[in-house]
Amino acid sequence: MLFSKACHYAIRAALYISSRSENIVPIREISDELEISFHFLTKILQQLTRHHILTSLKGPKGGVGLNKPAEEISLKSIVLAIDGQDFFEGCLLRLDKCSDAHPCPIHDEWKPVRRQLLNFLESTTLDQFQSKVKSKKFRMKV
Amino acid sequence: MLFSKACHYAIRAALYISSRSENIVPIREISDELEISFHFLTKILQQLTRHHILTSLKGPKGGVGLNKPAEEISLKSIVLAIDGQDFFEGCLLRLDKCSDAHPCPIHDEWKPVRRQLLNFLESTTLDQFQSKVKSKKFRMKV
DNA sequence: TCCTTTTAAGACTAATTTGTCTTAAATATA
DNA sequence: TATATTTAAGACAAATTAGTCTTAAAAGGA
């Protein structure tokens, strides 16, 4: 699988949050709607908050919300916050510092494919899906 | 990470085997050369053997070898043998049966990117790297 | 101020993946 | 045939990831 389970949860939650017009959405609502364990989701969203992708508010009327405009939140930033940068340096043989200078045998062939993957994650932002998610015609769970 | 650690080991070992002119290579030699735990590698290569990607021979002069021409062994077949088909159905939100009929909000955007990834894995075969690996100018370990 | 609600933090458990070790089975060769 | 070598199989342990639970801290409202 491309990403960790936590990372997939994070992307789903981020899509959900960005589709809600309210600034702040309680995590309980997200976990109910997306059928994700509340406590696990809380931990994951805390990471997004620490990375300044979300803001959070405690107490009644509390919850989480986007910390910047949806068009400034890329899938890449979410993956980076949850799974770290391992993915982005990804060598097909998992060599430590596989590079043009010290490449593995697949490096040259793999590079353009990885580039396209990165381009997609960089250029894809939450705002692109807001209307789809709002329409409720697209699956957000199981 | 794209694939499991076991899968990366499998690809590395397959490249090594296909670059050796001998039909049969002892697993001990592979694990020594690639610095992979012998017993763990043995288990992984057993899976490739069960999937008829490799053949194996017990006893002195035993070892593993390609079960078909290198140009017929794709990266995809190795990934499939080790990690199963989860990767190939991969939805960005990890939904169970995300499809054109019942898509997640990112499905349409993700589809062409995944297609390119699959094309690469399908069209890339071991023979393409034999000379590079033989030249020993490319890294095969850490 | 006090109570309730909600996130933050972290200890703890469960599941999965990774890695080790022992024994069995097959086979070449002396 | 006996021995040494090598893969096969599977039990077991360690590490990582996923998930649960409890308590603390913050904030709104009576």
Side-chain angles (χ1 to χ4, degrees), chain A residues 66-80:
Chain A
L66 302 188
N67 193 40
K68 40 190 167 186
E71 55 270 27
E72 289 176 22
I73 301 180
S74 64
L75 295 185
K76 180 185 176 180
S77 67
I78 297 174
V79 172
L80 207 56

Side-chain angles (χ1 to χ4, degrees), chain A:
Chain A
M1 276 296 195
L2 240 54
F3 313 121
S4 69
K5 218 163 174 181
C7 190
H8 290 271
Y9 287 160
I11 294 172
R12 279 212 279 156
L15 285 178
Y16 182 85
I17 294 165
S18 89
S19 78
R20 300 275 278 99
S21 34
E22 290 80 7
N23 287 338
I24 291 290
V25 185
I27 297 176
R28 178 68 67 180
E29 175 189 325
I30 306 169
S31 70
D32 283 351
E33 287 295 323
L34 303 185
E35 292 174 5
I36 299 172
S37 142
F38 168 74
H39 285 105
F40 192 36
L41 182 59
T42 296
K43 284 210 304 192
I44 294 164
L45 296 185
Q46 277 170 27
Q47 291 184 70
L48 294 185
T49 302
R50 280 197 286 269
H51 279 81
H52 307 106
I53 292 169
L54 301 180
T55 32
S56 69
L57 216 66
K58 290 180 180 177
K61 306 273 176 188
V64 293
L66 302 188
N67 193 40
K68 40 190 167 186
E71 55 270 27
E72 289 176 22
I73 301 180
S74 64
L75 295 185
K76 180 185 176 180
S77 67
I78 297 174
V79 172
L80 207 56
I82 305 296
D83 281 354
Q85 60 179 355
D86 284 14
F87 178 82
F88 300 96
E89 302 172 339
C91 164
L92 266 199
L93 304 191
R94 261 196 206 213
L95 303 192
D96 188 28
K97 293 284 180 191
C98 185
S99 64
D100 291 345
H102 296 96
C104 77
I106 311 188
H107 183 78
D108 290 339
E109 288 78 0
W110 172 239
K111 208 175 153 184
V113 182
R114 188 182 62 175
R115 185 67 259 161
Q116 287 177 327
L117 207 55
L118 296 191
N119 283 347
F120 171 77
L121 294 176
E122 276 168 11
S123 64
T124 303
T125 48
L126 295 185
D127 62 299
Q128 296 171 39
F129 308 101
Q130 284 173 325
S131 63
K132 279 191 181 177
V133 178
K134 278 180 190 166
S135 79
K136 298 198 181 269
K137 287 179 183 164
F138 294 83
R139 293 168 63 208
M140 289 287 282
K141 62 186 181 187
V142 193

